[in-house]
Amino acid sequence: MGDEFDVDEWRPDQSTFAQHAVAGSVAGLAEHSLMFPVDTIKTLRQVRTQHLAAGGLAVADGGLAAQLHHLIRAGGLPRMWRGVQTMFAGCVPAHSAYFLIYEGCKPTITRHCLSLASERRADVAVRAASAGVSLSLATMVHDMIMTPMDVCKQRLQLGFHANSVIECACDILRREGARAFYLSYPTTLFMNVPYALLMGATNDALRTYLNPHGTHSVGTYLAAGAGAGVIAAALTNPLDVVKTRLQTQAVCEAPPAAAPCATTAARASSAAVCPHAPICYTGLWQALGSIWREEGYRGFTRGVHARMLIHAPSVAICWTTYESMKHTLQHFGLFE
């Protein structure tokens, strides 16, 4: 049965671990840096209104255009990339591990599943499922690296803490303890594993459908990635809202001018972080219940349009950059 199918098997003479690592790192940098402004808008639309007021950003209900205009007017165009350095620090090791695990596991899983398949038409379904399972395993390691960086990123996006990753991380550690960096990790996994399954299976199925011969095609990578990103982002948005709330809850509930724990300098900069702010959410299930009671189903749709706008081009950029970079490295024999 295995001889009947063209399994995408790891061939060391065509691609090495180093090539996958380099291609994955470049793909991660391209994805996060280009789409970071939209990610900033998504974060602002998902946090509680009190947190926006504390940072002078309480225009969440004005629409994407109004939020964008307010941010640029308040801090200039660079404001949209506040906190992007966290992605540079985390996405290189995270995406390297992500693509290494994906490329290493997918051929084995695919070959095993195909050996159990009784019909040739199961080929496409098996490939899609194998891609999803491989991406789920890769996601677990990726999120372990990226979650602490994501916590710092969202605090910086909101305007809390100085614009320094190290200062932000040290302040969170001092005020909230190490637990704060991984409080959202179970939620992140609970969101990203089904996201990876949906995105990976859809992406692989679309690529197979659009390009049955599996040749290098930038148009196929872009179209399949965009379609997979939109579907996966929309269906997993409720858990992304929960993740954002867990990661941004320990900021002042009141505007800086009224916050008794904020220093004069902190009030002036609208970057106060209150060490005595109540922790509203203790975990995934408690957060789900609280958001439902506070806002109903609308609370779980916050930022969904921004998230779809992020993930459609993000997945397209990431996979196109990855495949193109890998193809280029193989063509010129680099990192062999």
Side-chain angles (χ1 to χ4, degrees):
M1 179 66 68
D3 295 335
E4 296 180 12
F5 298 99
D6 181 20
V7 180
D8 184 17
E9 189 174 357
W10 187 302
R11 298 180 178 91
D13 60 319
Q14 293 186 12
S15 57
T16 65
F17 278 96
Q19 289 174 340
H20 287 293
V22 172
S25 298
V26 174
L29 289 171
E31 171 193 358
H32 289 294
S33 60
L34 290 175
M35 298 310 301
F36 197 83
V38 187
D39 184 73
T40 297
I41 297 295
K42 179 203 67 107
T43 298
L44 294 176
R45 295 181 71 82
Q46 288 184 341
V47 299
R48 301 183 74 195
T49 304
Q50 295 94 327
H51 294 165
L52 289 174
L57 300 166
V59 291
D61 295 328
L64 292 173
Q67 192 91 60
L68 179 63
H69 176 72
H70 180 79
L71 285 174
I72 294 177
R73 186 178 60 182
L77 195 60
R79 175 63 180 83
M80 301 305 299
W81 274 272
R82 181 181 172 89
V84 72
Q85 61 269 42
T86 59
M87 297 296 96
F88 294 153
C91 74
V92 171
H95 278 71
S96 296
Y98 182 86
F99 283 104
L100 282 172
I101 293 171
Y102 170 72
E103 294 283 4
C105 293
K106 183 186 173 186
T108 302
I109 296 173
T110 302
R111 188 167 52 249
H112 175 71
C113 291
L114 287 176
S115 68
L116 302 176
S118 58
E119 299 182 15
R120 185 179 180 83
R121 62 174 176 269
D123 185 21
V124 174
V126 168
R127 286 177 181 274
S130 299
V133 173
S134 301
L135 283 172
S136 297
L137 296 174
T139 296
M140 295 179 68
V141 177
H142 171 276
D143 289 347
M144 188 176 295
I145 299 171
M146 285 298 293
T147 296
M149 290 290 101
D150 197 51
V151 173
C152 294
K153 179 204 75 174
Q154 292 191 331
R155 302 293 181 91
L156 292 170
Q157 284 176 323
L158 288 175
F160 294 93
H161 303 283
N163 192 22
S164 166
V165 179
I166 296 177
E167 289 181 20
C168 180
C170 290
D171 193 48
I172 293 172
L173 184 63
R174 183 177 66 254
R175 295 177 184 273
E176 305 167 50
R179 179 174 177 268
F181 292 108
Y182 281 98
L183 179 63
S184 65
Y185 182 64
T187 303
T188 301
L189 277 184
F190 199 56
M191 172 185 71
N192 282 346
V193 169
Y195 174 88
L197 287 168
L198 288 167
M199 186 272 290
T202 305
N203 183 49
D204 206 72
L206 287 174
R207 285 170 60 171
T208 303
Y209 176 77
L210 296 173
N211 186 16
H213 301 293
T215 56
H216 179 68
S217 171
V218 172
T220 297
Y221 301 145
L222 287 171
V230 166
I231 294 172
L235 294 177
T236 58
N237 189 73
L239 290 169
D240 193 51
V241 174
V242 174
K243 185 199 73 168
T244 299
R245 298 292 179 91
L246 288 170
Q247 292 182 169
T248 61
Q249 61 185 321
V251 293
C252 283
E253 295 288 339
C261 58
T263 63
T264 302
R267 293 190 191 103
S269 64
S270 293
V273 177
C274 181
H276 305 297
I279 303 298
C280 305
Y281 311 115
T282 58
L284 169 61
W285 302 112
Q286 191 269 340
L288 284 170
S290 295
I291 295 171
W292 177 261
R293 288 192 298 271
E294 290 174 3
E295 305 173 61
Y297 79 93
R298 292 184 180 275
F300 296 109
T301 64
R302 280 182 172 271
V304 65
H305 296 115
R307 191 163 192 259
M308 292 167 67
L309 285 174
I310 293 170
H311 285 270
S314 287
V315 176
I317 290 169
C318 183
W319 281 96
T320 302
T321 304
Y322 172 70
E323 295 291 351
S324 298
M325 191 69 187
K326 185 174 69 173
H327 179 78
T328 301
L329 293 173
Q330 293 171 359
H331 179 75
F332 289 101
L334 302 175
F335 297 99
E336 291 184 342

